[in-house]
Amino acid sequence: MREVSAALHDVAEDAWNTLRGLDEAGADAVATMHGIVHLLVNNSVISVAGTVEDLPVARIEDAMAVNFWGVVHGCRAFLRHLRAAVRRGEPAAICNVLSDFALFALPTKAAYAASKHAARSVVDSTAEPPR
């Protein structure tokens, strides 16, 4: 049986400063604890709603800070450990908890959808090409 742990980072209060804490040192500590990292689950979410012209820019920035930058920082911190697992011939994956809005948008969910589209694109781009 393999050991599993979770590291929770609540980015709701101060997204930018909390996200800066998602660094390689934290990822290294997880890898040291378990010997290898096989799975990263990104579950960053803050929902915002409003039309582009009515939604305050600060709310759009909040959506991007949590939903996009949370995923970027998490991936950057753990990606080298996931790639190390693959080089060892072991499975590795990044799982994003997104929503339908990663695939489409509605007039009142533009900021939320944009942040989820962006998060999906970044993670899709981390896949190594076949050799």
Side-chain angles (χ1 to χ4, degrees):
M1 180 163 62
R2 293 187 183 222
E3 187 177 329
V4 174
S5 66
L8 303 176
H9 295 275
D10 183 356
V11 296
E13 290 298 316
D14 187 1
W16 292 113
N17 287 326
T18 302
L19 292 172
R20 286 187 190 101
L22 293 174
D23 58 12
E24 290 183 359
D28 291 346
V30 171
T32 298
M33 181 187 315
H34 295 287
I36 194 83
V37 176
H38 293 102
L39 177 65
L40 171 64
V41 177
N42 289 313
N43 188 22
S44 299
V45 63
I46 183 172
S47 182
V48 297
T51 61
V52 172
E53 65 271 17
D54 292 334
L55 197 61
V57 170
R59 295 299 293 152
I60 297 168
E61 290 172 343
D62 289 344
M64 293 305 290
V66 175
N67 300 342
F68 173 68
W69 286 109
V71 169
V72 169
H73 286 286
C75 287
R76 287 180 54 89
F78 282 95
L79 197 53
R80 65 191 171 96
H81 295 290
L82 296 167
R83 292 199 196 288
V86 171
R87 283 192 301 275
R88 288 172 46 170
E90 299 177 12
I94 298 172
C95 173
N96 282 330
V97 179
L98 296 171
S99 73
D100 292 351
F101 290 103
L103 305 172
F104 66 87
L106 296 175
T108 60
K109 296 299 275 185
Y112 180 74
S115 67
K116 292 300 185 170
H117 278 284
R120 180 174 180 225
S121 293
V122 163
V123 173
D124 286 350
S125 298
T126 64
E128 287 189 302
R131 296 179 189 229

